[in-house]
């Protein structure tokens, strides 16, 4: 499942979501990291997509998207995600090592 990283398209997806308060970005990232470690990349991508919908300005989410997409061989999406993570703040550079 390819991730949508177009911010305009993400805003449209977010607007279509019903109101939810159950999942937080840190919770989704923890689940995505666990899925990544278990090599369940589609699950990781789905969780990361949800995290981006909740907070498109969260750098660690974009860094993890880069890692997952790199592992599945989608180098272009990985590069875009890494660039996005770096534009969101200097702290994300340490995540990219």
């Amino acid at each position: 499942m390819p991730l949508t990283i177009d911010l305009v398209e993400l805003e449209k997806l977010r607007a279509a979501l019903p109101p939810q308060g159950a999942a937080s970005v840190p919770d989704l990232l923890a689940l995505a990291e666990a899925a990544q470690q278990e090599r369940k990349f589609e699950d990781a991508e789905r969780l990361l997509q949800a995290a981006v919908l909740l907070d498109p300005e969260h750098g660690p989410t974009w860094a993890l998207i880069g890692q997952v997409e790199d592992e599945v061989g989608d180098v272009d999406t990985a590069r875009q995600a890494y660039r996005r993570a770096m534009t969101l703040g200097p702290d994300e550079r340490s995540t990219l090592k």
Side-chain angles (χ1 to χ4, degrees):
M1 172 181 109
L3 283 167
T4 301
I5 61 172
D6 179 311
L7 296 180
V8 173
E9 189 62 29
L10 286 174
E11 189 58 39
K12 290 178 190 174
L13 290 170
R14 185 178 323 121
L17 289 175
Q20 295 179 6
S24 70
V25 171
D27 291 341
L28 291 168
L29 284 184
L31 292 169
E33 286 176 337
Q36 177 193 24
Q37 290 173 357
E38 294 174 11
R39 306 196 60 76
K40 295 180 179 177
F41 298 117
E42 286 187 22
D43 290 346
E45 288 174 332
R46 180 181 47 77
L47 292 159
L48 290 166
Q49 185 76 68
V52 168
L53 288 171
L54 289 174
D55 184 1
E57 302 299 314
H58 190 251
T61 300
W62 290 102
L64 187 54
I65 289 169
Q67 292 172 14
V68 169
E69 294 307 299
D70 194 30
E71 285 191 62
V72 298
D74 187 347
V75 177
D76 290 335
T77 300
R79 277 192 196 123
Q80 290 176 31
Y82 286 139
R83 283 187 194 116
R84 181 77 179 139
M86 289 189 300
T87 64
L88 292 172
D91 293 340
E92 304 328 316
R93 292 175 197 263
S94 63
T95 305
L96 303 177
K97 291 182 181 176

